[in-house]
Amino acid sequence: MRYLSTRGAASALGFDDVLLTGLARDGGLFLPESWPSLDLNSLIGLDYPDLAARVMQPFLGGRIEPAVFAGLVRNAYADFGHQAVAPLKQIDARTWLLELFHGPTLAFKDVAMQLLGRLYDHLLAERAQRVTIVGATSGDTGSAAIEACRDRDRIDIFILHPEGRTSEVQRRQMTTVLAPNVRNIAIQGSFDDCQDLVKAMFADGSFRDEMRLGAVNSINWGRIMAQIVYYVAAALALGAPKRRVAFAVPTGNFGNIYAAYAARAMGLPIEKLIVGSNSNDILTRFITGGAMEIGQVHPTLSPSMDIQVSSNAERLLFDLYGRDGARLAEAMKGLRATRRLALDPAQHAALTALFAGHRLNDDETLATMASLYRETGELIDPHSAIGVAAARAVPLDPDIAVVALGTAHPAKFPDAVEKATGVRPALPPALADLYERPERFTVLPKDLGVVQAHIRHEIAKGEAA
Ligand SMILES: *Cc1c(COP(=O)(O)O)cnc(C)c1O
């Protein structure tokens, strides 16, 4: 199995290089050169780790021993707070909630990140290399990355967060991880300052090489690959291949729903993919109107979807542009320059044949949380509520099972849940003492030289130890 770049100008790479590289040299995203096909009947009845190993195996292209890989997968999901890893809960006659928030940081990103950290460690050990992961977070992705990298032998991780500007749960999920390879830096500035510092560190070639900088961001192919699995698991549980399914996905960077698109390309009987948007509705407008138009970011109750540029949408565009990397590279250049990309009628028809979009503002999100609580007693977070409302909004054949993706645990957004339902959700047992745990972080000014010196010093200290 080889991987191509969506921009067509980088050479094809194998699985291990794709995982460790992230972005292709031509600025594109990696995709498998062809989709392996699922033998669904042979997958019925497997537990989640066995299913995961079987579904992902073809993507490895023989670069990891099957038994070794199966062990990494089982280990990645061993500590999830629910034995099923990704349990399904029926919420009305034709709608299910797929709970993806039983990992260590209570959000769906754990499902992929827990595996990715272990894959990195394994591949780096084979190459006798180390990596220093550097990232900026406004709260959510930082903790998932830290939990994925903690205690890994070959990885150091530095996460920059804006001092005093994350919620206390978010900060504590990062700063109470005391593993020696994890360093939290509170920057005296905004999230944008943190992101600028990270970009500047990657742009500094000598620092990048000296520290062997790496990233685990949402465009990494490994994250998409690991997310394919829960779509297969949910569809099988609901009766596939005999029964058709649809998925409604609260969407930001398009990574999660793209994994569903990949599962369909592999033969999963998916009838419809429904994008759920908050007021940052660029993707819903793209699906209904056929043009991607980048606007301003609005803060909402579902902050993990408060973005305008959905990087992973480029993987879908690659197919809409007939897998012609040069043509897509041109279109992406246009999008950067004019902040607009318009599909032609044939491309738009291909898009709407599979995708639908549904937008919710904050009031509608709260109303969805309140009505689901009234009807079923279930508390859901604002992101998951957008999935549920989207699942119910699109008319489909009654024999199609519709699955809404639950992307965060309600206790991760307690204020919004309480506002909607009057009930304050409790943290699950594994995190119940979060507010008593000791924290460790270093406060630094928004000064590139100071931050680089700190990272150099910490790495040198680790090497001496
Ligand atoms: C990241 C995230 C999303 C958006 O997922 P994408 O893959 O970026 O589309 C939705 N909900 C929650 C809770 C998230 O953390």
Side-chain angles (χ1 to χ4, degrees):
M1 167 83 60
R2 310 274 295 166
Y3 291 83
L4 313 170
S5 162
T6 51
R7 307 232 177 141
S11 49
L13 296 179
F15 175 76
D16 43 349
D17 289 319
V18 161
L19 211 75
L20 296 173
T21 315
L23 199 68
R25 287 210 170 267
D26 58 4
L29 279 58
F30 287 111
L31 274 177
E33 144 188 275
S34 63
W35 294 107
S37 62
L38 291 164
D39 178 4
L40 289 170
N41 285 311
S42 77
L43 300 173
I44 293 169
L46 298 178
D47 72 3
Y48 193 90
D50 280 345
L51 175 74
R54 288 273 295 277
V55 169
M56 289 187 275
Q57 192 70 53
F59 291 114
L60 308 182
R63 300 294 175 104
I64 305 178
E65 276 298 310
V68 171
F69 182 63
L72 291 174
V73 172
R74 191 157 286 280
N75 193 265
Y77 299 123
D79 290 334
F80 271 52
H82 196 294
Q83 292 244 313
V85 181
L88 267 177
K89 213 174 244 176
Q90 187 160 12
I91 55 173
D92 66 37
R94 59 145 216 176
T95 315
W96 281 258
L97 182 69
L98 179 61
E99 295 185 350
L100 299 174
F101 47 69
H102 294 286
T105 75
L106 310 182
F108 92 94
K109 292 189 178 66
D110 288 329
V111 180
M113 292 290 262
Q114 283 295 311
L115 179 63
L116 197 60
R118 285 163 173 84
L119 278 173
Y120 254 65
D121 220 31
H122 175 80
L123 295 172
L124 288 166
E126 283 194 334
R127 296 170 172 217
Q129 288 174 357
R130 297 187 61 84
V131 70
T132 303
I133 303 284
V134 176
T137 187
S138 54
D140 234 15
T141 46
S143 58
I146 285 171
E147 283 293 342
C149 295
R150 69 185 293 172
D151 303 319
R152 304 265 83 82
D153 294 335
R154 300 267 160 187
I155 304 175
D156 286 285
I157 180 165
F158 292 81
I159 294 292
L160 281 58
H161 71 265
E163 187 190 22
R165 300 200 198 182
T166 62
S167 76
E168 188 173 5
V169 181
Q170 287 175 327
R171 186 190 74 240
R172 285 184 163 273
Q173 281 191 311
M174 299 190 282
T175 58
T176 60
V177 178
L178 304 180
N181 69 331
V182 171
R183 279 84 158 192
N184 281 285
I185 302 175
I187 293 291
Q188 296 169 316
S190 65
F191 169 60
D192 286 338
D193 294 328
C194 295
Q195 218 164 19
D196 288 346
L197 285 165
V198 169
K199 277 191 197 146
M201 284 190 266
F202 276 94
D204 177 346
S206 69
F207 183 77
R208 193 181 63 212
D209 294 344
E210 182 194 342
M211 294 293 121
R212 300 164 303 258
L213 291 194
V216 285
N217 45 30
S218 77
I219 52 94
N220 193 294
W221 165 253
R223 287 181 59 177
I224 306 286
M225 174 185 81
Q227 289 165 186
I228 293 171
V229 176
Y230 48 72
Y231 290 101
V232 179
L236 287 173
L238 292 172
K242 288 201 189 110
R243 189 181 196 186
R244 292 173 302 156
V245 291
F247 290 99
V249 187
T251 296
N253 244 323
F254 208 76
N256 197 355
I257 198 165
Y258 183 78
Y261 179 83
R264 185 173 182 273
M266 294 165 72
L268 203 65
I270 297 177
E271 188 72 17
K272 205 83 193 167
L273 290 174
I274 308 162
V275 168
S277 299
N278 63 22
S279 303
N280 300 289
D281 62 345
I282 178 168
L283 289 171
T284 291
R285 283 184 287 117
F286 177 56
I287 293 163
T288 45
M292 204 177 273
E293 289 167 329
I294 302 173
Q296 295 293 314
V297 177
H298 306 288
T300 70
L301 291 176
S302 41
S304 302
M305 298 157 63
D306 288 348
I307 54 178
Q308 281 290 332
V309 182
S310 292
S311 353
N312 276 296
E314 180 165 341
R315 289 189 160 108
L316 172 67
L317 288 171
F318 184 63
D319 282 351
L320 293 174
Y321 279 81
R323 298 178 74 88
D324 180 341
R327 239 180 101 211
L328 177 58
E330 208 47 48
M332 295 307 292
K333 222 165 79 188
L335 177 64
R336 274 251 298 271
T338 64
R339 304 178 70 78
R340 188 167 194 277
L341 179 155
L343 297 179
D344 67 33
Q347 289 171 317
H348 188 211
L351 179 66
T352 53
L354 178 59
F355 285 91
H358 185 70
R359 175 191 54 235
L360 258 71
N361 63 26
D362 279 350
D363 286 339
E364 292 163 331
T365 305
L366 290 168
T368 303
M369 294 160 76
S371 66
L372 192 74
Y373 180 62
R374 263 197 321 273
E375 292 158 21
T376 67
E378 285 297 323
L379 296 175
I380 53 171
D381 97 291
H383 304 80
S384 308
I386 290 172
V388 167
R392 289 171 164 180
V394 174
L396 291 168
D397 279 0
D399 61 328
I400 293 172
V402 189
V403 180
L405 273 67
T407 53
H409 192 286
K412 197 149 187 170
F413 298 92
D415 296 337
V417 174
E418 187 171 13
K419 187 171 177 191
T421 64
V423 181
R424 196 159 182 90
L427 283 166
L431 282 170
D433 66 343
L434 185 67
Y435 288 92
E436 280 92 65
R437 294 179 193 171
E439 294 185 78
R440 190 183 70 200
F441 58 95
T442 307
V443 180
L444 294 178
K446 52 178 180 190
D447 180 310
L448 179 63
V450 172
V451 176
Q452 287 181 317
H454 173 77
I455 292 176
R456 265 203 193 92
H457 176 74
E458 289 292 314
I459 293 287
K461 223 165 64 183
E463 277 166 1

